[in-house]
Amino acid sequence: MADQQAPSARPTAADPAASDPPTVAPASADPATAHRTTTVEKGRFTAAHCTCGWRGPARRARSKARTDGTEHEASP
């Protein structure tokens, strides 16, 4: 039994699927989901954060932080 090896889960060169990379749509393919902002409060300050990694400046006014996020979504 020690001579037997477990079958490999990795595709081999003979497998046609091995040469085809997985198809992944770019993040900016769908503009509605490419950028999504939220506001995060930390102490007295609020900042807009985006799913793309962008972060707006800390603001004391929540409305200004929301405006920063809306402007980022409109023109990333």
Side-chain angles (χ1 to χ4, degrees), residues 22-72:
T23 305
V24 178
S28 62
D30 185 9
T33 60
H35 294 275
R36 186 163 215 180
T37 58
T38 58
T39 56
V40 177
E41 294 186 9
K42 190 168 189 180
R44 295 182 183 188
F45 295 93
T46 303
H49 291 193
C50 183
T51 56
C52 74
W54 173 86
R55 292 173 186 248
R59 306 282 191 177
R60 286 196 180 187
R62 289 185 191 107
S63 61
K64 183 60 180 162
R66 283 193 296 267
T67 302
D68 291 340
T70 303
E71 290 173 357
H72 171 73

